[in-house]
């Protein structure tokens, strides 16, 4: 798949520069395709197209909410028609098992579009309030403007539509900057945008590296930035937006804890345990990769996770039997292997994994790896590894479990495992994190998702995700 043009202003346009981004298969290392690498001039053109689509009389924000919603539903239908190809394209690029890519990358974007199309009527609502000491005030919600959406590679389409769907519903226009590891699936998105008949300039796509992203984030024509990615990159983007007093939403890294209570019936939740901790080969920001186990059941829980890792099917991402695919790149595999060595050097006990799986000589594979007897202060328990590596730490009593769960720089997600959901909810309320799942974990489209501390700023999903793309205006009347 060779993409030769950029999607700007509703048209496929020639790039201003001559560099390309090459994509290889995570499973085999073989060439998959290429796309142009956007340069500053391409970003200028994309922002201007988005600016024109927003500012023009009768432009996107001036459409009636029902009309915007209808366009969003048409885009959802176009994505549905190409969902199988989209899932396979993502899976080939980043190593996501196809059994995960189909429901996530193939289905969630259209789900988000339909959900926010349903909320679009509320996007430009007005409320009249009785004033104090006198008069009334009309409180209006307006679209914030041109949005720079800088995206990640691990769930490239799902996370893109965390931004696209609410921004469109609010009446905003967008410039998308895909990650260089996944630049082929955005071409399929552009085709769907054309099929849906979207107005020119409402959604523009400029792939590129960090330089293109930095230029876009600081562009004077941008009104808001939304970023998903690493905490380190998020800090740089936050600094740039702070200098410009520019609104920003940051969905960053995580090191979430799985708090296993002493009454948990883990045998009934094996599939949920796997999904919560190892979904997408551990390349998931919300994954519960720190396992906190009650000391009275510690050997049993270590054995359970060890068996789960040993029994996982590791293989080509496009094989439907695969549960653990490759990592996205050679550099990501090197990073994960470096953490495994660090865990061993710091005295953690390796119960399984730690190497490269036999028979998979091509691609970027790492065995599912379990470390037991891990101190919560150790590197592998504190830093985001972003691979199929779990740590298990014992605790004595519920209070210590909560203390350990909160003893982290991150606060994105977490899970509590118990036979008593009321008890689990009480524990969840004590964990300082943006989201918590009981006996499983998946973000809920209708509810706010995001992190505390080093896991980010702001919220996506739910009505709160729509509000992130709106400005408030108060009109006072005597």
């Amino acid at each position: 798949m060779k993409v030769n043009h950029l999607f700007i202003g509703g048209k496929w346009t020639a790039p201003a520069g001559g560099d390309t981004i090459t994509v290889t298969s995570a499973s085999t290392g073989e060439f998959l395709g290429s796309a142009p690498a956007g340069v500053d001039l391409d970003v200028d053109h994309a922002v201007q197209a988005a600016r024109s689509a927003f500012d023009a009389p009768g432009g996107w924000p001036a459409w009636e909410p029902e009309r915007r919603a209808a366009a969003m539903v048409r885009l959802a239908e176009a994505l549905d028609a190409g969902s199988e190809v989209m899932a396979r394209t993502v899976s080939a690029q980043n190593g996501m098992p196809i059994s995960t890519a189909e429901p996530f990358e193939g289905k969630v974007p259209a789900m988000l579009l339909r959900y926010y199309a349903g909320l679009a009527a509320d996007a430009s609502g007005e409320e009249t309030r009785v004033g104090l000491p006198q008069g009334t005030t009309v409180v209006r919600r307006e679209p914030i403007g041109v949005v720079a959406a800088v995206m990640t590679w691990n769930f490239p389409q799902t996370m893109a539509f965390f931004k696209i769907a609410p921004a469109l519903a609010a009446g905003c226009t967008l410039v998308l900057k895909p990650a260089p590891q996944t630049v082929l699936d955005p071409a399929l998105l552009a085709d769907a945008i054309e099929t849906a008949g979207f107005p020119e300039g409402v959604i523009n796509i400029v792939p590129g590296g960090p330089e293109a992203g930095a230029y876009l984030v600081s562009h004077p024509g941008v009104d808001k930035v939304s970023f998903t990615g690493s905490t380190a990159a998020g800090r740089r983007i936050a600094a740039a937006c702070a200098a410009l007093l520019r609104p920003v939403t940051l969905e960053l890294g995580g090191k979430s804890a799985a708090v296993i209570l002493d009454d948990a019936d883990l045998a009934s939740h094996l599939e949920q345990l796997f999904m919560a901790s190892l979904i997408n080969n551990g390349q998931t920001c919300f994954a519960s990769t720190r396992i906190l186990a009650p000391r009275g059941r510690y050997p049993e829980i270590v054995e359970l996770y060890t068996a789960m890792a040993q029994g996982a099917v590791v293989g080509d991402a496009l094989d439907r039997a695969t549960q653990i695919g490759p990592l996205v790149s050679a550099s990501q595999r090197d990073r994960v292997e470096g953490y495994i060595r660090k865990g061993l050097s710091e005295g953690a006990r390796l119960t399984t994994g730690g190497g490269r799986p036999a028979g998979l000589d091509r691609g970027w594979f790492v065995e599912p790896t379990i470390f037991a007897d891990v101190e919560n202060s150790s590197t592998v328990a504190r830093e985001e590894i972003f691979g199929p590596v779990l740590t298990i730490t014992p605790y004595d009593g519920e209070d210590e479990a909560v203390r350990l769960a909160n003893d982290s720089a991150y606060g994105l997600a977490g899970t509590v495992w118990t036979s008593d959901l009321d008890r689990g909810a009480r524990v969840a309320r004590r964990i300082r994190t943006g989201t918590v799942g009981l006996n499983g974990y998946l973000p809920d489209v209708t509810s706010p998702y995001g992190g505390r501390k080093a896991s980010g700023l702001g919220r996506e999903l739910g009505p709160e995700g729509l509000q992130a793309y709106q400005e408030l205006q108060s009109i006072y009347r005597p």
Side-chain angles (χ1 to χ4, degrees), residues 367-434:
E367 293 175 320
T369 298
I370 306 296
F371 280 118
D373 306 342
V374 177
E375 295 290 336
N376 201 54
S377 59
S378 68
T379 302
V380 291
R382 302 202 72 80
E383 297 185 11
E384 185 176 41
I385 298 174
F386 230 58
V389 180
L390 307 182
T391 66
I392 308 178
T393 300
Y395 71 82
D396 295 297
E398 201 171 282
D399 288 345
E400 185 181 19
V402 170
R403 181 184 65 77
L404 291 171
N406 289 333
D407 182 16
S408 173
Y410 296 100
L412 181 59
T415 51
V416 179
W417 304 82
T418 177
S419 294
D420 182 343
L421 292 180
D422 289 337
R423 180 190 179 194
R426 289 194 298 272
V427 172
R429 288 184 175 94
R430 299 175 64 192
I431 299 174
R432 294 193 295 274
T433 187

Side-chain angles (χ1 to χ4, degrees), residues 153-331:
W153 51 260
N154 60 328
F155 286 85
Q157 288 297 308
T158 296
M159 300 310 298
F161 276 89
F162 276 31
K163 310 172 191 316
I164 296 169
L168 291 177
C172 298
T173 59
L174 301 103
V175 178
L176 313 180
K177 206 292 288 182
Q181 296 88 341
T182 46
V183 294
L184 303 182
D185 53 288
L188 302 177
L189 170 58
D191 288 340
I193 294 167
E194 281 191 305
T195 300
F198 256 72
E200 295 180 358
V202 173
I203 307 175
N204 309 273
I205 307 174
V206 182
E211 297 82 5
Y215 185 72
L216 173 61
V217 162
S218 298
H219 199 285
V222 166
D223 298 301
K224 177 191 169 70
V225 174
S226 183
F227 170 74
T228 300
S230 72
T231 296
R235 286 193 170 102
R236 293 192 293 272
I237 289 172
C241 290
L244 296 165
L245 297 179
R246 179 166 294 169
V248 62
T249 298
L250 302 171
E251 198 274 279
L252 307 177
K255 191 68 178 180
S256 301
V259 178
I260 300 176
L261 299 181
D262 53 15
D263 65 348
D265 179 12
L266 299 181
S268 298
H269 299 292
L270 293 178
E271 183 177 351
Q272 293 89 343
L273 284 166
F274 184 91
M275 287 289 290
S277 57
L278 290 170
I279 184 174
N280 194 20
N281 321 324
Q283 297 178 138
T284 306
C285 51
F286 61 69
S288 292
T289 55
R290 273 192 306 145
I291 315 303
L292 305 181
R295 197 173 299 276
R297 297 183 60 184
Y298 188 71
E300 166 204 347
I301 291 168
V302 170
E303 183 179 347
L304 181 144
Y305 274 95
T306 300
M308 182 175 72
Q310 291 173 339
V313 178
V314 182
D316 191 304
L318 294 174
D319 187 336
R320 292 193 177 279
T322 293
Q323 295 173 286
I324 298 288
L327 301 179
V328 67
S329 64
S331 61

Side-chain angles (χ1 to χ4, degrees), residues 1 22-34 83-102 105-106 153-157 180-186 188 280-281 283 315-320 322 325-330 362-365:
M1 182 178 180
T22 298
V23 182
T24 57
S25 164
S27 295
T28 67
E30 296 175 347
F31 175 80
L32 284 178
S34 62
S83 63
E84 183 177 346
V85 175
M86 181 68 81
R88 290 183 63 85
T89 301
V90 171
S91 181
Q93 292 174 104
N94 71 1
M96 179 186 294
I98 191 65
S99 59
T100 301
E102 287 177 341
E105 299 296 280
W153 51 260
N154 60 328
F155 286 85
Q157 288 297 308
Q181 296 88 341
T182 46
V183 294
L184 303 182
D185 53 288
L188 302 177
N280 194 20
N281 321 324
Q283 297 178 138
D316 191 304
L318 294 174
D319 187 336
R320 292 193 177 279
T322 293
L327 301 179
V328 67
S329 64
R362 301 188 303 166
W364 322 120
F365 293 92

Side-chain angles (χ1 to χ4, degrees), residues 21 40 47 64 118 140 235 258 274 312 324 355 373 413 449 452 477:
I21 300 170
D40 290 359
V47 172
E64 291 295 320
R140 303 180 60 245
R235 286 193 170 102
F274 184 91
I324 298 288
D373 306 342
Y449 169 79
R452 303 181 185 182
R477 296 183 178 184

